[in-house]
Structures are given as C-alpha cells and as structure tokens.
Amino acid sequence: MTKYETVIGLEIHAELQTASKMFCGCSADYASAPAANTNICPVCTALPGAMPVINARAVEQAVLVGMALNCTINPHNTFARKNYFYPDLPKGYQISQYELPIASEGWMDVPADLGEGTQRIRIRRAHLEEDTAKTFHRGDHALIDYNRAGVPLLEIVTEPDFRTVEAALAYATNVRAILRYLGVNSGDMEKGVLRFEANVSVRPIGSDELRTRTEIKNLNSFRALTRASAYEVERQIKLYESGGEVVQETLGWDEARGVTVSQRSKEHAHDYRYFPEPDLPPLQLAESFIESFRAHLPELPEAKTQRFLRDYGLKLQDAALLASERSLADYFEAVTAQTKDSAKVVCNWLTGEFMRQINDRALSVDSIPIPAAHLAQLIDLAFDKTVSGNTAKSVLVEMFQSGRAPKDIVEAQGLGQISNEGVLKEMVIKLIADNPKEVASYLGGKETLLQWFMGQVARATKGKADPQAVKQLLLDEFEKLRK
Amino acid sequence: MELSSLTLRSAQEMLRSKQISSVELTQAMLDRIRKIDPQIQAYVTVTEDVALEQARRADERLATSENVTPLTGIPFGVKDCLSTKGVRTTCSSKILENYVPQYNATVIDKLADSGAVMLGKHNMDEFGMGSSCENSAYFPTRNPWDLTRVPGGSSGGSAAAAAAGLGLFSIGEDTGGSVRMPAGFCNVTGLKPTYGRVSRYGLIALASSFDSIGPMAREVYDVAAVTEAIAGLDKRDSTSSTLPVPQYTQSLGKSVKGMKLGIPKEYFVAGMEAGVESAIHKAIQQFEALGMEIHEVSLPHTKYGLPVYYLILFAEASANLARFDGTRFGLSVRDGAEDVIDVYLRTRAAGFGDEVKRRIMLGAYTLSAGYYDAYYLKAQKVRTLLRQDFEQAFEQVDALIAPTCPTTAFKIGEKTADPLEMYLSDIYVTATNPAGIPSLAVPCGFSQGMPVGMQLMGKHFNEETLFQIGHAYQQVTDWHKQLPPLG
Ligand SMILES: [Zn+2]
C-alpha cells in the first residue's frame, strides 16, 4: 500500500487592533458597538462617491508583523480591487493587496516532524485588506450589520510547507503568540479575530509533485484547524486508495458532524478580476520609516524561550510555556527579580498552582490580579519556612479571593509555620511519652510508623509545623532511646 | 438686469456694490429656469428652497462684508453626479432615481463655504456614459443654440445651463472630455483640471483614475475664479494633490507674447468638419497675432488614445458600479427575488440603461483571467506612452491647441444607433484624461451657425498658463459673448 505524505499551506486572516477601520474613521471595535450598523459611514457602507483613505496605524502594525515573521518589508506596495458580489461586501469589491503586498518572503521555524530540531516554514506574503460585514438570517430575511465592514485584516500566507497537521498547528499557535506579543491582535478566536484557511493535499511519500488541493475556509479555532485538516488528509488518501481523484474545490468544516463539506468547485471558482485600486496611490514606505520599526520590535516568544533556558536554567517545555504569552513572561521575570528563591521555584509556582487558579477562575494572563510583589512575598514566606508548602497554596487561593498581601493573610489567620525548635521538641517528647506501644514497635523495626508520629504533630499544630524539622526531632529522640 | 448675458464677474460687482441682493439674483435665476428650462431640460432637480436659504445667508455675509469670497451670493448648478446632502442625486439613472445622499461631496462643501448658491442638479448621460446627454434615463437635454441638436456630453446639462444663463456657472465633470466637448457644442468656457487638482470625494465615480471635476461658465475669468474655490488637497481623497492652489484670477491679464503654442499634427487629419478646422486655424492666427510662437509638435501615440481611454474606463467603471446592488440605497427590486443575489440581478437589470450595461460587461471582460494582460494591462502600458507624448511636447511648447470635437453639435438621435460612432466624437478630448493633464475649452467661432470649441492643453498643475492664454484670447475675441437665440 502506498504511504502518503501530507502537504498543507496555511492562510491566517488576523484582524488588526487599530482604533479605526482600514479605510475610514469609524471605530474598528465592532464587538463593543452598541447596536448593529452604528459604527458606519459612507466609506464603509460604500455609498456612491465615498473614497478610501489608508489607516497609517494598520500599515505600522503590518510592518511589525512582517518583521516578526522575518519578511521583507516592501517599500513600494499597492492596493487592488478584488471583485465579487456578496451581500457582506458593500462595494462589490474588497480592497486588498495583490501584486505588491506590504510584506513577502518570510519564514518561521517549527518543531521538525520527527524527533529533534526544527523545520523552516516559508511565508509567501502578508498583505493588508479589509474585513467584510456580517450577515444574519431571520426567517426568510437576510440582515446585514456593517459594523465589521472595513476592519483592517492582515492575511498571512505560507508556502505548502507543512508535512504534518501538528506542524501547521505549531505554526498557527506561534503566529497567534506573535500577534499578541505585538499587541496587534487579541488572539481571541471565539470572537473571530483570527481565522484560518488550510490548503490540503496528499502525495505518495518520496514524490515532490503538488497534487490537486482543496481549500478549507473559515476555520475559527485551533481545534477546527487540526480536525478539519486531519479529516481532509484521511479523506483524500481514501479517495486515492479507492481509485478516485481529488477535485479542486472550496470546502467548509462542519464542526458538529466532523466532516468537510463542498462549497464551490473549480468550475464555479471566482474570477476576482483583480486590478490596481485607482482610489489609492501606491503606498511608499521610506527605508528610514521601515527601519524605525525594528527598534520597536519586542523580544519574541522564540528568543525569549531561548533566553529563559540560558539565563534561568528552565526546562524547554516550561520556558516555552512562560514565553508563549508576553504578559506571563513579564510576570515571571518580575516575580523572579523580587523573590529570594530561584527562578525555577517561581516557574513551578506559575506553571502549577498559579496557572490552575487563573484557569479555574477563567482569568486571562493579560490581567493577572495578583501583583508580582505579592507572589514574590508568598514564595519568600515558603522559602523562609514561615509557612509550609501546603499552607502557601491555600494562602495563594486566599490572595486570589481577597486580593490581600500574603503576609497579611498569614498574620490574620495565624498560619505561620512553627519552626521554633523549643516548642516542637516539647511536643515530640510528650508524644513519645504518651505512646509507648508505638515507640516500642518503631524501635522494634517498624520504621513506617515515623509517618504516623509526624502526622500526630501535624494534626496537633494544624499543619503549621515544619515537617522537616519535626522529622529530624523525632529521629533524634528515637536515637536517644536506642542508646 | 439682463440675465442671459450676465457673467460671474459682473454679478460679483453688482452684489458687492449692492445693486442687487443674492436673493433677488437667485429668484431671478429660478424664474428664468422655470421659463426657459422646459425647452432645454438642463436641470433634473431644481433646489429652490436650498437656493433661497443659501442666498439669504450670502446676503448676510455681503451686508457685513465679512467672509465674502468671489463666489458669495453667486447662483450655480451642478452635474447630478456630485453628492448633495439632502438633495436627490441621480446620475441621471433609474437606479438612483430616489437616492438622497447623507453627505456632501467636498466640492459642494467648498462651494457652500464660499457662499455660492446652488440652484439645482444638471442632467447628464447616465453615470457619465455618453457624449450627447441622450443617455439620460429621464430625458435628453437640448442644445440652447438649436433645440433639435444635442448639447454634447456627458456634462450636457451643465453646458446647456451655462450657455442659456440658467446659473452663472456650472460644475461639470470630465472623464474623457465630458466638460470640454459639451462646452464646445454650447459655446461656453470649461476646464478639465489636472487629475488630483480638485477632490473627487463625493463624486459618483465613472473611471476613478480619469474623473476630474471642473467648472463651466461664460468666460475664462469666471472659470478661474471657480477653480480657485474648488481646488486643493482633501484628506478624504488620497489622490488629491498636496500642491498649493495658485490665485488663478490674479495671473489673468499677463501678456502671452513669446509663449509657445503647439499644434499636434496628429489631431489635424481627415475627418474634421471644414467649419471646425477653419475656426481652429483662425484661432491659431489670433494667437500668432497676440505674439505667440506657433510650433507643430507630434504626439505619436494619439491614435491609441481612444482605445486606451475606453479600455481603462470600462474596467474601472465595471468595479465602480458594483455597489449599486439594491441593498443599501437607490432602487431595490425585491419582488419575486429568490435570494439576495437575485435582488442584485433584478435591481441592476431594471436600474441600469443599455450603455451602462454594455460598459460593465466590457469592463468585466477585459479584467477577466486570460484577457487582463491583453486588454487592461496593455492599455495601462500605452497610457504611459500617451503621458510621455505630452511630456515631450511640453518640453518644446507651453500649451497645445486642438478642437474639442471634429464636428459641431449633431442632431438628437443622429448617433444613438451606433455606439462606436458616438465614441468617436470624443477623439480629441479623451487622451488628456489618461495623461492627467489640464485642458481648457474656449469658444472659438461658429460653423453653419453652431458653436466651435478649441481646447488648450497644458502641463500637469499648470492651469495658470491655460487661463492666461485663454483670457488673452477672450480679450481680443467675442465668440464667448455670443448668446444662443432664446426667448
Ligand atoms: Zn466607516
């Protein structure tokens, strides 16, 4: 049986978080609009005579993303009209970039398909365009809300370089992280600010032909992207195996049924009749303008991961997790700078109990409610053995609930750990005196009873005794009895 | 007051010296429109209420002498392709029969700010597609010089109104001669400014890379004064120029002695009406008498001007007209429609005239996969050559002279059966638009009783030179003072 290789190319449509729309002054924040058709004007509803004006902020954001994706930023780029009729497209054409996009020929490294190392994914282009309106169906009526019409979109297109669905997912995840790092997109896929389109084909392993591909449009989550791509790979393999041929077509993804469905075959494919947009002169970006953005480019997830490995000695998985979100990475470094304990301990906190609290409370790492100084203080309390590890965890829960500083919580609730040796020693001596049977049994060789003795102390102190100190005291006393 | 011969400049003097108020002048114009326009049908919509209100406010300005501009209190009309807030804007199309814009074109705002008084909206060929004003979906406009003849197009209503004294100036729009050709047919002075000189914001686009809004009036002074008021950078039109606007009326009166006038030899070939040719030659002699040097120049790619113009126009127009779909404004044919796309089809089938449909189909075709390179792209390449022709000519001369049309105004119905012959009437005026250069149409005589127009073409953003030459000509001729035989 022929073994097949997956060939995937990805298109990512990312809305840019500018204040105004791509070609007019209307607010681009359609999600906060008070009602349908309130963020609109003659330009974005395509009234006769209205003309587009390029949003400079969208251009700047596109330059930043292009740089982050290792693209060439083109000093001379042009807009074009992409012509088709659809109710969500008020002008009857979309203003996009066709022949000369703002960014081209970039790349990104993703983990290699097998084993170690990385694979380089070529990015063909990134271009600016405008989003469409939203259509709704009520009974036999179609309703249109133009609040989203004209919101800036950046379309990022790769070459068909992915050989696994996992590689495509890794790339998409990383692009989302980069967009969030640059502050140009919230990455909030439930709101539709990031949409994927996968071009999928399969071919016998060893072949380098590009076979007929299908395009799966409007994938709105990582889950949809991976499921739809995997389904399509399987479908195509089965088709070839049964002697069939793949038809070039546009597919949709039926999330509920878990299948791709045909939307348009090649014969009915649009001829978009692209031509240069005469209402917009070519966009000329001075070299100095482009270069001024290089300085603005923040440290990106990949570089940050490497630095965390190098500077803090974290494990790759942990470093990558912390670096995946700029706010989390910044938080990690702020806490590390303020605590007596090590970066690794801070990392354990953040990737463990802290992240659980964030997730359980449906909070975002963009708005962590605990000041870094407070978490550093909590880690110090544990480091100083003022509280035990378990107590520290419950203090953290209390910090999330009340927002109070850990020291205040520990003091108010008397949670301080008993590490005063005098007090503990008294308790241990009394415990041994009160339980002669268990002591004899322990000395007779049943050493597991040590846990029982420790448990008794813990119960008596309500968990505030430093377990290491208690253990040592018990061992010391037993040693004395043996003599 | 003799309204039929009144110029903008003389009206200005009367208003400033308080011989007449703007309300009186406006009311007189409205009365004249009511009396004369039924024969000519230059106006699609008369905005009496707007006009009288603007006139009242102009009179307040004139009374205090505050904020008075050369256009304060001056009544005008505008081609019905410029958006006017609250006033129906039809492009003489059924598809916009009841369309009332929510906003003003920048030019309309500028004129309102200057204190000009809008009398109404002028008839035109539907969406500017035509050379005779017969393609209006409502009615043809008639030439004031002979009511059986066309006024030219597509700004036919604007030219006829200016000629008949139904407004002291008109705002026309020239995509490929649409100001100059009817100006010539109707014996008025009209400017196609440099592309980008006047904001297109709010102009219902025909061919976005050609469209140029320009004034039409009795004489060069009037046209220069209006150009000064409407030109300039507009942040809402990214193709508008950042160059400062000169004070055009100030440069009038300078001698043209020693200036060089070019005669493009390719424009003077067979096919020109004898009376037109002789009128142009007499004008050339007149310029010589004014001390200008006359040179023959060559514009070698002239024969490609018309096809390049039409190919690019079809392409741009096909996209510009896509928004007329019956969902947000204008005509919407929903009865019997199966779905939204069916509403589009029915609306466009019912709303667009034949010439509009013809051009949309041709445009979509020339942009289609497999044809784009052969038609649209090639046309854009030749467009560069046309532009270079002019640039090279302007290294030798200050301006070029040519007729605005090979013939005088033709009979209504004479060319409607043959679109190609209609296209040929634009042969002298189309090349300027792909090149983007300015061109001033000036009356220069008569052929068999009908007016003949010449055009003076100049360098990009050099309207001043054209005004200077045109004004000098009008100081020694009185063709522009001839009035049509109206009651
Ligand atoms: Zn808008």
Side-chain angles (χ1 to χ4, degrees), chain A residues 59 86 114 145 149 152-153 176 257 303 350 399:
Chain A
V59 172
Y86 206 71
L114 299 163
D145 176 7
L153 276 184
R176 176 179 179 273
R257 291 195 296 139
L350 286 180
M399 286 160 68

Side-chain angles (χ1 to χ4, degrees), chain A residues 68-84:
Chain A
L69 298 176
N70 305 299
C71 291
T72 302
I73 306 300
N74 299 313
H76 176 92
N77 59 97
T78 57
F79 288 85
R81 292 184 181 179
K82 178 181 181 181
N83 298 285
Y84 64 97

Side-chain angles (χ1 to χ4, degrees), chain A residues 21-27 39-46 146-147 149-150:
Chain A
K21 291 184 179 180
M22 186 65 219
F23 300 114
C24 63
C26 294
S27 167
N39 282 356
I40 57 170
C41 74
V43 176
C44 56
T45 53
Y146 294 98
N147 285 343

Side-chain angles (χ1 to χ4, degrees), chain A residues 45 47-51 81 90 271, chain B residues 103 200 202 237 320 323 328 369:
Chain A
T45 53
L47 293 188
M51 294 179 69
R81 292 184 181 179
D271 176 358
Chain B
Y103 74 103
R200 290 185 292 122
D237 174 0
N320 284 333
R323 67 186 59 192
R328 298 172 312 290

Side-chain angles (χ1 to χ4, degrees), chain A residues 23 35-36 94 130 150 194 232 316 323 346 393 406 416 433 455:
Chain A
F23 300 114
Q94 181 191 37
E130 53 179 337
L194 208 56
E232 190 54 21
L316 175 61
V346 175
K393 282 181 187 170

